[in-house]
Amino acid sequence: LDKIVLLHDYPPHEVAPYSEWLTARRAPEIQLRHEPLSGPTNFDEIYQAATRAISEVLAATSESVDLTFHLSPGTPAMAAVWILLAKTRFPATFPPYGGKMDRDSQGNFTIQSAATEILFLQHIMANLGKGGHAGVILPEGVLFRGGPDAKVRKKLLTHFKVHTILSLPAGAFLPYTGVKTNVLFFERPKEGSTTDKIWFYELTNDDFELKQTRKPIEGSQLPDFLAKWENQVEGDNSWVVDFDGKTFEEKGWDLTARNPNRKDDYEHIPALELVRSIRTKEERIFELLGELEEMLEGQA
């Protein structure tokens, strides 16, 4: 990673603290670009601002560059613009979710894989110094898939100290992705100790409804998670698993959060609720296609 270009519509003094925070964490060169918008849902303005920024960055270098677009919290219109540009004018990836890396570029990693999320995790492991701590958001599949994923999990468990896995509900990152994710917390102790036990927490309410709109709701479990985290307190939604290398190896180094306090680990969704969920997703797709169609007609 050589440069971060941060587009914003906030006053410079509000963005400066975030830039300083990134710099303090050894981030590469950070370029701030103020792109004023009349509104966060103005598709055309967002498209023009993003295109202008990318074109100028590419024009400033004589070498070919690999682009990565970060879908930060914003509006569906913003997400649609970046996805559109990544798939058309400016090919780019969206790690750590579902990106693909060509085989030639995998040579820099000990365990090769086409999945960018597993390369992303390896990059963090390789650059975490002794005494360092890390918290990484990963797709659910990284915790149980075989092949390269299992090899990376083995290395993570036996060379680092994995101490917490926070299971997030599917839809926590809507409207950008409905993929179920987990937050993996681990460290690299100075004395060289490795994983001895892992505290799991199953979060089913993150303070927002698990729909495209993500409206605030009652009953957030985040305060409970934070209260129990330090002492790894066990409860209905939290449990501890002792690490035994032989047992974990037999299970393929699986780190999936399976709550032992639940009688049934399956989620039974009423048929009507399932139909409504599918309809909501379809309606959102048609809305984005409509916005794209209008933009293209305006350029014709």
Side-chain angles (χ1 to χ4, degrees):
L1 190 62
D2 299 315
K3 178 189 289 188
I4 294 176
V5 180
L6 181 62
L7 276 65
H8 65 91
D9 186 30
Y10 295 98
H13 70 275
E14 292 185 15
V15 182
Y18 178 60
S19 176
E20 293 170 359
W21 180 84
L22 286 174
T23 302
R25 281 153 181 77
R26 299 181 181 180
E29 177 188 350
I30 300 174
Q31 179 183 337
L32 299 178
R33 290 183 60 100
H34 182 229
E35 295 287 351
L37 302 172
S38 61
T41 59
N42 191 315
F43 192 95
D44 186 59
E45 285 187 4
I46 298 169
Y47 179 87
Q48 295 299 331
T51 301
R52 181 167 54 249
I54 299 170
S55 298
E56 291 181 7
V57 168
L58 294 177
T61 177
S62 58
E63 303 176 0
S64 61
V65 296
D66 295 321
L67 296 172
T68 298
F69 295 159
H70 174 58
L71 297 180
S72 60
T75 64
M78 292 179 180
V81 165
W82 289 109
I83 292 173
L84 172 66
L85 292 177
K87 300 299 182 182
T88 55
R89 295 185 61 179
F90 306 103
T93 57
F94 298 95
Y97 303 114
K100 296 294 181 182
M101 185 74 75
D102 62 85
R103 183 166 293 278
D104 292 338
S105 301
Q106 298 173 32
N108 295 325
F109 298 90
T110 305
I111 301 172
Q112 297 186 7
S113 171
T116 53
E117 58 264 33
I118 204 66
L119 301 180
F120 177 72
L121 178 56
Q122 285 189 80
H123 175 73
I124 294 175
M125 292 163 61
N127 288 276
L128 190 65
K130 290 186 176 181
H133 301 257
V136 189
I137 301 174
L138 294 167
E140 178 94 340
V142 174
L143 301 187
F144 64 81
R145 289 190 306 236
D149 298 59
K151 293 178 181 179
V152 171
R153 290 196 302 274
K154 176 183 178 181
K155 185 175 182 180
L156 182 66
L157 289 165
T158 57
H159 289 75
F160 297 81
K161 188 170 185 176
V162 179
H163 57 80
T164 302
I165 294 180
L166 172 62
S167 174
L168 300 177
F173 289 97
L174 285 173
Y176 310 114
T177 177
V179 173
K180 178 167 171 42
T181 56
N182 295 261
V183 187
L184 187 68
F185 296 90
F186 62 95
E187 56 188 77
R188 192 172 200 167
K190 292 181 179 180
E191 75 279 7
S193 61
T194 56
T195 307
D196 54 357
K197 61 180 180 179
I198 305 172
W199 183 67
F200 289 83
Y201 191 99
E202 181 184 40
L203 191 80
T204 56
N205 185 330
D206 65 349
D207 208 24
F208 296 90
E209 62 179 16
L210 300 175
K211 299 178 181 179
Q212 297 287 334
T213 51
R214 294 287 280 159
K215 295 180 180 178
I217 58 175
E218 300 287 334
S220 173
Q221 294 171 305
L222 288 172
D224 183 61
F225 164 73
L226 294 173
K228 294 177 177 177
W229 186 15
E230 185 174 355
N231 296 316
Q232 297 189 331
V233 178
E234 296 187 66
D236 292 340
N237 294 310
S238 57
W239 63 98
V240 174
V241 175
D242 292 324
F243 177 73
D244 175 70
K246 183 178 180 180
T247 302
F248 269 73
E249 183 175 15
E250 291 174 350
K251 295 181 178 180
W253 307 99
D254 193 332
L255 287 174
T256 306
R258 296 184 178 88
N259 192 341
N261 303 313
R262 289 187 177 277
K263 294 181 180 179
D264 190 343
D265 198 34
Y266 296 96
E267 181 182 7
H268 298 287
I269 303 176
L272 181 58
E273 182 180 339
L274 184 60
V275 170
R276 288 173 176 171
S277 176
I278 295 174
R279 177 175 292 176
T280 298
K281 291 181 174 62
E282 291 292 333
E283 290 175 351
R284 185 64 198 133
I285 291 173
F286 279 111
E287 287 177 9
L288 292 174
L289 288 175
E291 293 178 1
L292 176 59
E293 185 177 8
E294 292 178 4
M295 182 198 71
L296 294 176
E297 288 179 348
Q299 294 180 347

